[in-house]
Amino acid sequence: ERLLQELNRRNDLVLVDTQAAENLTTKVILELADLVVVNLLQEGEQIEDFWKHYAGLEKKAVFLLGRYQEDHVYNRTNVARMYKIAKERVWVMPEYPLLSFLYEQGKIPDFIGKNIWTSAGEKNYGLIRELRYAAETLRAWEKEGKLA
């Protein structure tokens, strides 16, 4: 706990990747966090597991649905409705097979840099649109003091 407090004092932004396991370290980190990004697949069991083990964090959480497919039962709209989450807090990372390869090669920053100005109708627009949405939402929340 003291380490996190010191990191917060010295830095504007501290990112911590925790285990999904329910242990004391994870719980302390999540309790102290201003924002919790919950990475989930579009699986009911995984979503239910979050509510079972981490109830109370939903007000400071965003739910990132990975390998996202709009026509899935657990799409953005349905997850927001079923779990009573504000839709702005349900983010998606579209199914994008090339992404794993780019990650393994350490080339995601290059990919984003080359595609950041992609427009509707272009090849990588869906992925870039969702990344922009997440970044713009975080920026707005920071300006509004929601991440203080």
Side-chain angles (χ1 to χ4, degrees):
E1 189 172 335
R2 288 191 335 220
L3 172 62
L4 288 173
Q5 290 170 343
E6 184 62 22
L7 287 170
N8 276 328
R9 190 180 69 72
R10 293 176 181 230
N11 300 283
D12 292 333
L13 178 66
V14 178
L15 301 173
V16 179
D17 187 6
T18 68
Q19 293 181 314
E22 198 176 356
N23 60 49
L24 184 58
T25 302
T26 298
K27 284 189 175 213
V28 168
I29 291 169
L30 295 176
E31 286 174 16
L32 292 172
D34 296 323
L35 176 71
V36 176
V37 178
V38 181
N39 294 301
L40 300 168
L41 297 175
Q42 288 177 282
E43 299 171 359
E45 184 177 309
Q46 196 180 50
I47 296 169
E48 290 291 334
D49 189 62
F50 171 82
W51 293 107
K52 186 167 114 179
H53 296 298
Y54 298 104
L57 290 177
E58 65 274 3
K59 294 209 183 321
K60 62 179 175 180
V62 292
F63 299 86
L64 178 63
L65 301 175
R67 297 188 203 143
Y68 184 75
Q69 297 176 20
E70 181 62 37
D71 60 350
H72 196 285
V73 165
Y74 289 98
N75 64 28
R76 181 189 319 228
T77 301
N78 288 342
V79 167
R81 182 181 45 77
M82 289 189 292
Y83 296 97
K84 296 176 178 61
I85 304 168
K87 199 170 179 184
E88 71 175 2
R89 290 190 169 272
V90 181
W91 299 354
V92 301
M93 183 60 57
E95 178 74 42
Y96 197 80
L98 182 59
L99 205 54
S100 293
F101 174 77
L102 293 170
Y103 174 76
E104 290 168 8
Q105 301 296 312
K107 296 189 177 191
I108 289 180
D110 294 338
F111 173 82
I112 292 171
K114 289 176 186 172
N115 290 279
I116 195 67
W117 303 116
T118 299
S119 304
E122 293 185 58
K123 181 179 177 185
N124 300 312
Y125 178 69
L127 177 64
I128 297 299
R129 178 191 65 221
E130 295 302 333
L131 290 173
R132 283 182 192 151
Y133 175 78
E136 289 166 6
T137 301
L138 286 174
R139 208 172 301 127
W141 288 351
E142 184 178 32
K143 283 182 182 177
E144 296 167 13
K146 293 182 179 180
L147 299 179

